[in-house]
Amino acid sequence: LLGRVAPSHFIFLQPYPEDGLVVQFRVSIDLQVSPMVQGVVIEEGCIVDVNPSTQEVLARVPCSTLEDVTAAVSRAQAAQLPWAAKPLVDRISLLKQVMKKLAEHHEVLAQLITKEMGKVVSEAEEETQESCDKDDYLDLIAAANADEVVDEASGTMIIRDPHGVVAILSPWNYPALEIVLLALPALAAGNTVVLKPSEVVPLVGTKVAEAFQTVLPAGTLELLQGDGVIGEALVKSSVNMIGMTGSCATGKKIMAMAAPSLKRLVLELGGKDPMVVFADADLDLAAADAVTWSLSNCGQICCAVERIYVEECIAKDFEERVAKKAKLWHAGDGFAEASKIGPMVSSMQKAHVTKQVDEALAAGKARLVCRGDGPTDGNFYPTTVLADVQQGTSISKDETFGPVVCITAFDGKEDSAIRLSNDSEYGLASYVYTKDLEKAKRVARSIKSGQVGINCYSMLAASPKCPWIGAKGSGFGYHSGVEGWKQFSVPKSLVFSNPSP
């Protein structure tokens, strides 16, 4: 066996010594296995790391073995008690040093992000900046983990105990930032971490892990590389908690695997986020946000705007404003100055987006408004604006994760806005645009999602104290914010029968 190039496609070498020949052939075998993330090739025990823009092989990264998983978890377990014994203030101080170390390599990190997953380098630089600038953030995490006296008379208090070892399975779309957002609260709480980055971005994962490993005691953060086989082994190992950002399908599998040992979970999963635009909204603002947050990162964001419900009396005006802005989002190589979006992360993702769009258009259940400029070969997909998108189509209900703006007109009634917004298995974030803030609050309170941005994109405008919560099928547990940071520890009450001296 030379390598696996798809879940059920294998390449073999067959030697014929008597003839002095070696024949290479490909075999399709019907195996009941999970598909590899974005079709990443595992060949001769290595991840074949490919630039999605140029198809250049960046590296062949050795996969961890099952024995490596066991050893990494064991080292993390051995390091956990000494790490937790350090005062909280000392742990926070060390984590701030980690962020400074990461900042020393922010330019290299941004370049790696663009090379490995394709986003334009300006967005990669924004990601690395946000990943490194975490001093104030760590101070808030420290406050969330501090002892809390709940009865002054008796001195009864709540303290927080770490879970033990936290497995982190990080995604490819924000490959540096998501590691940081999961690792910092886990480590601050006194846990140790075993990290497995997405096989799409092994070099970014390595670079981030190196910053932690350079500063922290040995075993405090361990790194594994590989595909779902290694991820499954890590989930089934003797870790105490799993933090994961990824798809709903993978999240459900993790929940099932974690159930026998009742592992704690923080799962931030997919989304199909709605935006509601009422007639009295600031249309320039709403159109700009609709385009920006449908297309940023080539639409490959869990909280991208994927459904836009516009009051019908302004639908034509809004559509024209969106089209004018969307045409400026040119696709191209992530390092090209003219590019506003890079390639899709893989041919698999491009095929998924293409299928959703083409099916809706062919069935007459959407209307093509415009497409942007740029290449369409390889993994590139042009910015696309659709209108008259009908409920029940795949593109109206299933996560797209691509550079598509989808517009549907509605009657402007609050009940209709709420019903349409909630007509989804997902509930990550939502957006309401209107100058009537009381109406906005009524609608926002009734939408089932973890965050609602009112005349804004909530991810940018929210206080860092706000949790990032996936309602319904968009998650389990809380990610970030005070409630999210506390997920990485267990509250314990110290109760005194007598008044404290």
Side-chain angles (χ1 to χ4, degrees), residues 439-495:
K439 176 167 67 175
K441 285 189 280 187
R442 287 193 301 270
V443 173
R445 284 181 179 275
S446 296
I447 294 176
K448 304 300 182 185
S449 65
Q451 282 190 350
V452 183
I454 298 173
N455 299 317
C456 69
Y457 187 66
S458 57
M459 275 283 285
L460 287 186
S463 161
K465 293 183 179 181
C466 290
W468 187 238
I469 297 172
K472 300 192 289 186
S474 288
F476 188 90
Y478 310 144
H479 181 326
S480 299
V482 176
E483 288 89 348
W485 300 325
K486 289 184 175 182
Q487 296 277 296
F488 292 88
S489 60
V490 179
K492 179 164 66 181
S493 300
L494 303 185
V495 181

Side-chain angles (χ1 to χ4, degrees), residues 14-144:
Q14 175 63 55
Y16 294 91
E18 63 277 13
D19 299 319
L21 297 175
V22 177
V23 178
Q24 177 176 310
F25 59 97
R26 183 177 300 207
V27 177
S28 176
I29 303 174
D30 185 15
L31 296 177
Q32 297 299 311
V33 298
S34 300
M36 294 174 288
V37 172
Q38 299 300 338
V40 171
V41 173
I42 306 294
E43 190 174 86
E44 297 182 321
C46 292
I47 297 168
V48 182
D49 189 16
V50 176
N51 183 321
S53 177
T54 65
Q55 306 305 312
E56 171 196 2
V57 174
L58 300 170
R60 296 179 183 271
V61 179
C63 293
S64 302
T65 64
L66 297 180
E67 292 76 17
D68 291 335
V69 175
T70 301
V73 172
S74 295
R75 289 192 295 270
Q77 288 171 330
Q80 193 272 319
L81 287 178
W83 174 248
K86 291 181 180 294
L88 175 60
V89 65
D90 290 351
R91 295 198 298 269
I92 294 296
S93 176
L94 284 167
L95 292 173
K96 288 182 178 180
Q97 292 178 43
V98 170
M99 294 297 96
K100 288 183 174 60
K101 179 61 67 175
L102 189 62
E104 293 175 6
H105 305 285
H106 71 93
E107 291 180 355
V108 172
L109 189 59
Q111 298 269 323
L112 282 178
I113 290 171
T114 297
K115 288 178 180 178
E116 285 197 301
M117 59 76 57
K119 72 172 63 176
V120 293
V121 72
S122 59
E123 290 184 351
E125 289 167 350
E126 290 172 3
E127 179 182 345
T128 57
Q129 179 62 41
E130 186 177 353
S131 300
C132 299
D133 186 13
K134 285 287 181 275
D135 272 16
D136 293 343
Y137 192 82
L138 281 162
D139 289 339
L140 293 172
I141 293 176

Side-chain angles (χ1 to χ4, degrees), residues 171-233:
W172 53 262
N173 61 332
Y174 282 87
L177 181 60
E178 285 292 334
I179 293 174
V180 169
L181 293 179
L182 289 168
L184 291 185
L187 293 164
N191 305 287
T192 50
V193 164
V194 180
L195 166 66
K196 193 203 86 68
S198 167
E199 55 266 47
V200 177
V201 285
L203 300 182
V204 173
T206 298
K207 183 61 68 175
V208 175
E210 285 173 351
F212 283 90
Q213 292 173 333
T214 300
V215 174
L216 302 182
T220 307
L221 186 139
E222 292 285 327
L223 174 67
L224 298 171
Q225 297 280 15
D227 62 4
V229 173
I230 298 304
E232 180 176 341

